[in-house]
Amino acid sequence: MARIRFDALKVAQSRTQIDVTPPAKKISDYYGKSVFGKEAMRSYLASDTYKRLNLAIRRGERIDGQLADAVASALKSWAIEHGATHYTHWFQPLRGTTAEKHDAFFRLDGSGKAIEEFKGTMLVQQEPDASSFPSGGLRNTFEARGYTAWDPTSPAFLLKSGGGITLCIPSVFVAYTGQALDHKTPLLKSVEAINQAATAVCQFFDKNVKRVSATLGAEQEFFLVDKALFNARPDLVLCGRTLFGHSPARGQQLSDHYFGSIPPRVKAFMQAFEMQALQLGIPITTRHNEVAPGQYECAPIFEDMNVAVDHNLLLMDLMTRIANDHNFCVLFHEKPFAGVNGSGKHNNWALATDTGKNLLAPSTKPKDNLQFLTFFVNTIKAVHTHSDLVRASIASDGNDYRLGANEAPPAIISVFIGQQLSAVLDALENNADVSIDKGENMYMKLGLDKIPAILLDNTDRNRTSPFAFTGNKFEVRAVGSSANNATPMTVLNTIVADQLIAFKEEVDARVEKGEKREIAITNVLREYIKTSKDIRFEGNNYSAEWAEEAAKRGLSNIRNTPEALDQYLKPEAIALFERHNILTKPEIEARHEIEMEKYLMQLQIESRVLGDLAMNHAVPNAIKYQQRLIQTVKGMKELGLEEEAKMPLDTIRRISKHVGIITENVREMVKARKKANEFEVREAAEDYCKKVKPYFEIVRKSVDKLEILIDDELWSLPKYRELLFVR
Ligand code: ADP
Ligand code: MG
């Protein structure tokens, strides 16, 4: 009997739910209690210091040494009072997750007495020995210095783990030379770029707007697997996804899991991480089952983008750790199981003014709708111009399995806006050049009075679109579930900023020539509606017809990560990032190389694990069963049961056939891998993609056949039906 699998099943089946108790009765009593937010600042900082800090944060100004010292001292008191012994700069190196290096507040004074210390300089800057974080050649190891620097726009927080409490200070991570080595630095720059570009355009409509913030609400999908079963699957442990597994007799056909009642064990886990998330100021509100069995989603209320990105990363970290306490493993991989839905991270994106307005919310007032249309159409235009960069920003090995897999947005980037807004844009497009006589109601003539407020009711949805307008925001649905949202959001902010600047120039030029401003705006928008029309698609994105139609329209269909990442290196992409001071050419090249390497290493690991599992689990078990059958056939023949022996003989032959296919193809795959390893990163990635990866499917198919051919008791890997149906 396959011991590992059956032992794991026994453990998994005997689990009971772990009860959780909330820290207080009402959420409002504990929300944000572990954050050095406004409330803590007010009680720990002198009111003058508090004002100066807030002003500096709002204006993005440098924080001087004296102010830093005052904040550090307050942070120290607050943290120590709440039980913290250590502090860390919490940052996002390019490898994907977050990193921390803890230091104690404790120090010995001149006489050897222990004291607690935390100075402004320690708050503002740290120098972790970070020589083994990927830098893509930006930082030679002999010049390994990288600095983390405090990001005062994301509040510090206290993290409990392993019995201790640590003060975490969100930080950027840059090389000695000033080049960015993390995801946060370019994000912050893009947030500033869109602020400036959007504020300037807002001036057309409302002089009171002084600041525009990008907002993000990130829905997070994930799978849960019992810890014991997870540990019995080396592919899950090492690759984050299953490389084999015959689809279960019952999958998601019945759609009975979606929005169904959440199993109690899962619910206890969700409550546990939600409570911690809420204490950390993550405004998590939504939880439900997703389409696939074993798949769930959670979502917080949207926030200022930089904070929302940090919160999503922190949430993933919390979920991973708390799952362990509840004997689960969380899978953030985009496609952990073949044949059932993959997981995404829908990025809901909008723009908010400091006057409290969402620039992507249509209004009942026609005048406001010209402003809405301005931001709406410019976003569509930006995605049309830079769709390849949008595609690049969501590229990853895991997402390649998901995109275009018939249940996820395709690799073709298009924008869905819904019937009503399509009609509005069509009407505007087909209006002749607008010139309006005095006294006429311009908005009426432009059709702007027709944008109905019912749009907000949000019923017109297209869940197959990678980039969908959902009433008052765009939802980027193609982001992978394991991604750091900073990357797609940096790109989106940058391309929209670039577009808004071009728009303003065009309008200004027309106004200079004597056109009335509203008319100029409308005429430029009309032009954009025409030139960006091809990116709009309202139909079924999963259909084969769309791929054909998209090709006719000249839209890209970039199917793999290496090709997608190459889009960053196009001269116009580099110029774009440099123009807005987001990333320099060397920084882009470094990122390209790091991502490419990540991709190829992932495929290398998968290929090795696949070979190992196929040859050392599947094949030997199949042969064991085949031996038994051979004995059976011999016995039958001895008894003269020639006719009856035909069936087991047939199974013997089929096992041989699949064992043959597996052995042969694993051998060829290893050869292809060895060859790929001889190349430099880009060529190696290409080889892994085109010459190694195709074997995965071939080998898998035969292994999955063996799974259903041989005795269940001999199969050593937990099966899909066992992994997916957690109770
Ligand atoms: P659905 O699953 O139907 O898309 P959810 O309620 O799960 O909807 O998620 C919607 C997300 O969009 C939430 O995180 C919500 O806070 C966010 N959202 C709403 N308004 C905005 C906005 N103006 N900017 C950014 N995100 C927003
Ligand atoms: Mg959604």
PDB file of all heavy atoms in Angstrom, residues 49 52-53 56 61-71 120-121 123-124 150:
ATOM      1  N   THR A  49       4.558  68.152  15.865  1.00  0.00           N
ATOM      2  CA  THR A  49       5.279  67.124  15.113  1.00  0.00           C
ATOM      3  C   THR A  49       4.302  66.345  14.232  1.00  0.00           C
ATOM      4  O   THR A  49       4.589  66.049  13.076  1.00  0.00           O
ATOM      5  CB  THR A  49       5.959  66.111  16.080  1.00  0.00           C
ATOM      6  OG1 THR A  49       6.558  66.837  17.138  1.00  0.00           O
ATOM      7  CG2 THR A  49       6.975  65.266  15.374  1.00  0.00           C
ATOM      8  N   ARG A  52       3.464  68.407  11.231  1.00  0.00           N
ATOM      9  CA  ARG A  52       4.581  68.479  10.267  1.00  0.00           C
ATOM     10  C   ARG A  52       4.741  67.165   9.509  1.00  0.00           C
ATOM     11  O   ARG A  52       4.985  67.146   8.306  1.00  0.00           O
ATOM     12  CB  ARG A  52       5.878  68.834  10.999  1.00  0.00           C
ATOM     13  CG  ARG A  52       6.066  70.355  11.124  1.00  0.00           C
ATOM     14  CD  ARG A  52       7.225  70.704  12.045  1.00  0.00           C
ATOM     15  NE  ARG A  52       8.502  70.172  11.601  1.00  0.00           N
ATOM     16  CZ  ARG A  52       9.470  69.761  12.439  1.00  0.00           C
ATOM     17  NH1 ARG A  52       9.300  69.820  13.736  1.00  0.00           N
ATOM     18  NH2 ARG A  52      10.606  69.308  11.972  1.00  0.00           N
ATOM     19  N   LEU A  53       4.606  66.059  10.244  1.00  0.00           N
ATOM     20  CA  LEU A  53       4.751  64.747   9.605  1.00  0.00           C
ATOM     21  C   LEU A  53       3.662  64.544   8.550  1.00  0.00           C
ATOM     22  O   LEU A  53       3.945  64.150   7.411  1.00  0.00           O
ATOM     23  CB  LEU A  53       4.681  63.627  10.651  1.00  0.00           C
ATOM     24  CG  LEU A  53       4.753  62.204  10.092  1.00  0.00           C
ATOM     25  CD1 LEU A  53       6.116  61.938   9.453  1.00  0.00           C
ATOM     26  CD2 LEU A  53       4.503  61.153  11.179  1.00  0.00           C
ATOM     27  N   ALA A  56       4.281  66.671   5.499  1.00  0.00           N
ATOM     28  CA  ALA A  56       5.383  66.144   4.688  1.00  0.00           C
ATOM     29  C   ALA A  56       4.918  64.931   3.894  1.00  0.00           C
ATOM     30  O   ALA A  56       5.242  64.771   2.718  1.00  0.00           O
ATOM     31  CB  ALA A  56       6.559  65.772   5.590  1.00  0.00           C
ATOM     32  N   GLU A  61       7.246  65.432   0.821  1.00  0.00           N
ATOM     33  CA  GLU A  61       8.501  66.153   1.074  1.00  0.00           C
ATOM     34  C   GLU A  61       9.471  65.318   1.898  1.00  0.00           C
ATOM     35  O   GLU A  61       9.088  64.370   2.566  1.00  0.00           O
ATOM     36  CB  GLU A  61       8.200  67.454   1.834  1.00  0.00           C
ATOM     37  CG  GLU A  61       7.588  68.521   0.964  1.00  0.00           C
ATOM     38  CD  GLU A  61       7.018  69.687   1.772  1.00  0.00           C
ATOM     39  OE1 GLU A  61       7.067  69.637   3.024  1.00  0.00           O
ATOM     40  OE2 GLU A  61       6.508  70.611   1.134  1.00  0.00           O
ATOM     41  N   ARG A  62      10.725  65.724   1.852  1.00  0.00           N
ATOM     42  CA  ARG A  62      11.751  65.072   2.649  1.00  0.00           C
ATOM     43  C   ARG A  62      11.481  65.271   4.131  1.00  0.00           C
ATOM     44  O   ARG A  62      11.025  66.340   4.541  1.00  0.00           O
ATOM     45  CB  ARG A  62      13.102  65.704   2.326  1.00  0.00           C
ATOM     46  CG  ARG A  62      14.057  64.793   1.606  1.00  0.00           C
ATOM     47  CD  ARG A  62      15.414  65.467   1.527  1.00  0.00           C
ATOM     48  NE  ARG A  62      16.232  65.061   2.680  1.00  0.00           N
ATOM     49  CZ  ARG A  62      16.902  63.928   2.721  1.00  0.00           C
ATOM     50  NH1 ARG A  62      16.858  63.087   1.714  1.00  0.00           N
ATOM     51  NH2 ARG A  62      17.626  63.610   3.772  1.00  0.00           N
ATOM     52  N   ILE A  63      11.788  64.265   4.910  1.00  0.00           N
ATOM     53  CA  ILE A  63      11.594  64.390   6.357  1.00  0.00           C
ATOM     54  C   ILE A  63      12.957  64.645   6.989  1.00  0.00           C
ATOM     55  O   ILE A  63      13.882  63.837   6.827  1.00  0.00           O
ATOM     56  CB  ILE A  63      10.919  63.113   6.901  1.00  0.00           C
ATOM     57  CG1 ILE A  63       9.456  63.153   6.440  1.00  0.00           C
ATOM     58  CG2 ILE A  63      11.004  63.044   8.418  1.00  0.00           C
ATOM     59  CD1 ILE A  63       8.691  61.911   6.634  1.00  0.00           C
ATOM     60  N   ASP A  64      13.110  65.808   7.645  1.00  0.00           N
ATOM     61  CA  ASP A  64      14.444  66.149   8.160  1.00  0.00           C
ATOM     62  C   ASP A  64      14.787  65.337   9.410  1.00  0.00           C
ATOM     63  O   ASP A  64      13.941  64.668  10.002  1.00  0.00           O
ATOM     64  CB  ASP A  64      14.572  67.661   8.409  1.00  0.00           C
ATOM     65  CG  ASP A  64      13.615  68.140   9.491  1.00  0.00           C
ATOM     66  OD1 ASP A  64      13.451  67.414  10.498  1.00  0.00           O
ATOM     67  OD2 ASP A  64      13.017  69.221   9.315  1.00  0.00           O
ATOM     68  N   GLY A  65      16.061  65.435   9.795  1.00  0.00           N
ATOM     69  CA  GLY A  65      16.594  64.623  10.882  1.00  0.00           C
ATOM     70  C   GLY A  65      15.856  64.832  12.195  1.00  0.00           C
ATOM     71  O   GLY A  65      15.566  63.868  12.918  1.00  0.00           O
ATOM     72  N   GLN A  66      15.512  66.070  12.462  1.00  0.00           N
ATOM     73  CA  GLN A  66      14.858  66.380  13.737  1.00  0.00           C
ATOM     74  C   GLN A  66      13.471  65.740  13.794  1.00  0.00           C
ATOM     75  O   GLN A  66      13.086  65.120  14.792  1.00  0.00           O
ATOM     76  CB  GLN A  66      14.760  67.901  13.851  1.00  0.00           C
ATOM     77  CG  GLN A  66      14.427  68.384  15.226  1.00  0.00           C
ATOM     78  CD  GLN A  66      13.758  69.762  15.145  1.00  0.00           C
ATOM     79  OE1 GLN A  66      13.566  70.339  14.060  1.00  0.00           O
ATOM     80  NE2 GLN A  66      13.392  70.276  16.295  1.00  0.00           N
ATOM     81  N   LEU A  67      12.747  65.860  12.685  1.00  0.00           N
ATOM     82  CA  LEU A  67      11.403  65.276  12.621  1.00  0.00           C
ATOM     83  C   LEU A  67      11.497  63.745  12.713  1.00  0.00           C
ATOM     84  O   LEU A  67      10.724  63.101  13.430  1.00  0.00           O
ATOM     85  CB  LEU A  67      10.709  65.703  11.315  1.00  0.00           C
ATOM     86  CG  LEU A  67       9.269  65.220  11.100  1.00  0.00           C
ATOM     87  CD1 LEU A  67       8.366  65.628  12.249  1.00  0.00           C
ATOM     88  CD2 LEU A  67       8.712  65.772   9.784  1.00  0.00           C
ATOM     89  N   ALA A  68      12.478  63.188  12.015  1.00  0.00           N
ATOM     90  CA  ALA A  68      12.662  61.729  12.041  1.00  0.00           C
ATOM     91  C   ALA A  68      12.942  61.250  13.461  1.00  0.00           C
ATOM     92  O   ALA A  68      12.403  60.233  13.903  1.00  0.00           O
ATOM     93  CB  ALA A  68      13.784  61.312  11.104  1.00  0.00           C
ATOM     94  N   ASP A  69      13.770  61.998  14.186  1.00  0.00           N
ATOM     95  CA  ASP A  69      14.083  61.630  15.575  1.00  0.00           C
ATOM     96  C   ASP A  69      12.823  61.629  16.435  1.00  0.00           C
ATOM     97  O   ASP A  69      12.608  60.719  17.232  1.00  0.00           O
ATOM     98  CB  ASP A  69      15.104  62.618  16.175  1.00  0.00           C
ATOM     99  CG  ASP A  69      16.541  62.150  15.921  1.00  0.00           C
ATOM    100  OD1 ASP A  69      16.735  60.924  15.725  1.00  0.00           O
ATOM    101  OD2 ASP A  69      17.446  62.998  15.902  1.00  0.00           O
ATOM    102  N   ALA A  70      12.022  62.653  16.232  1.00  0.00           N
ATOM    103  CA  ALA A  70      10.786  62.754  17.024  1.00  0.00           C
ATOM    104  C   ALA A  70       9.845  61.593  16.713  1.00  0.00           C
ATOM    105  O   ALA A  70       9.259  60.986  17.618  1.00  0.00           O
ATOM    106  CB  ALA A  70      10.103  64.087  16.737  1.00  0.00           C
ATOM    107  N   VAL A  71       9.726  61.258  15.423  1.00  0.00           N
ATOM    108  CA  VAL A  71       8.837  60.148  15.042  1.00  0.00           C
ATOM    109  C   VAL A  71       9.396  58.832  15.574  1.00  0.00           C
ATOM    110  O   VAL A  71       8.660  57.999  16.120  1.00  0.00           O
ATOM    111  CB  VAL A  71       8.660  60.085  13.505  1.00  0.00           C
ATOM    112  CG1 VAL A  71       7.818  58.878  13.113  1.00  0.00           C
ATOM    113  CG2 VAL A  71       8.024  61.364  12.981  1.00  0.00           C
ATOM    114  N   GLY A 120      16.224  58.396  14.975  1.00  0.00           N
ATOM    115  CA  GLY A 120      15.708  58.812  13.671  1.00  0.00           C
ATOM    116  C   GLY A 120      16.467  58.189  12.516  1.00  0.00           C
ATOM    117  O   GLY A 120      15.879  57.725  11.533  1.00  0.00           O
ATOM    118  N   THR A 121      17.780  58.130  12.637  1.00  0.00           N
ATOM    119  CA  THR A 121      18.584  57.562  11.547  1.00  0.00           C
ATOM    120  C   THR A 121      18.258  56.084  11.345  1.00  0.00           C
ATOM    121  O   THR A 121      18.312  55.568  10.233  1.00  0.00           O
ATOM    122  CB  THR A 121      20.089  57.701  11.857  1.00  0.00           C
ATOM    123  OG1 THR A 121      20.287  57.268  13.205  1.00  0.00           O
ATOM    124  CG2 THR A 121      20.555  59.131  11.692  1.00  0.00           C
ATOM    125  N   LEU A 123      15.356  54.748  11.906  1.00  0.00           N
ATOM    126  CA  LEU A 123      14.037  54.699  11.280  1.00  0.00           C
ATOM    127  C   LEU A 123      14.158  54.967   9.783  1.00  0.00           C
ATOM    128  O   LEU A 123      13.592  54.258   8.951  1.00  0.00           O
ATOM    129  CB  LEU A 123      13.121  55.754  11.925  1.00  0.00           C
ATOM    130  CG  LEU A 123      11.850  56.127  11.170  1.00  0.00           C
ATOM    131  CD1 LEU A 123      10.886  54.952  11.130  1.00  0.00           C
ATOM    132  CD2 LEU A 123      11.155  57.324  11.822  1.00  0.00           C
ATOM    133  N   VAL A 124      14.936  55.985   9.460  1.00  0.00           N
ATOM    134  CA  VAL A 124      14.968  56.470   8.083  1.00  0.00           C
ATOM    135  C   VAL A 124      15.708  55.516   7.158  1.00  0.00           C
ATOM    136  O   VAL A 124      15.294  55.271   6.034  1.00  0.00           O
ATOM    137  CB  VAL A 124      15.588  57.884   8.043  1.00  0.00           C
ATOM    138  CG1 VAL A 124      15.849  58.324   6.621  1.00  0.00           C
ATOM    139  CG2 VAL A 124      14.647  58.853   8.741  1.00  0.00           C
ATOM    140  N   TRP A 150      12.800  54.270   4.813  1.00  0.00           N
ATOM    141  CA  TRP A 150      11.439  54.396   5.336  1.00  0.00           C
ATOM    142  C   TRP A 150      10.504  55.022   4.304  1.00  0.00           C
ATOM    143  O   TRP A 150      10.804  56.050   3.711  1.00  0.00           O
ATOM    144  CB  TRP A 150      11.497  55.261   6.601  1.00  0.00           C
ATOM    145  CG  TRP A 150      10.183  55.578   7.236  1.00  0.00           C
ATOM    146  CD1 TRP A 150       9.090  54.788   7.307  1.00  0.00           C
ATOM    147  CD2 TRP A 150       9.845  56.795   7.918  1.00  0.00           C
ATOM    148  NE1 TRP A 150       8.085  55.426   7.993  1.00  0.00           N
ATOM    149  CE2 TRP A 150       8.516  56.663   8.382  1.00  0.00           C
ATOM    150  CE3 TRP A 150      10.540  57.983   8.202  1.00  0.00           C
ATOM    151  CZ2 TRP A 150       7.875  57.669   9.093  1.00  0.00           C
ATOM    152  CZ3 TRP A 150       9.900  58.980   8.912  1.00  0.00           C
ATOM    153  CH2 TRP A 150       8.574  58.820   9.354  1.00  0.00           C
TER     154      TRP A 150
END
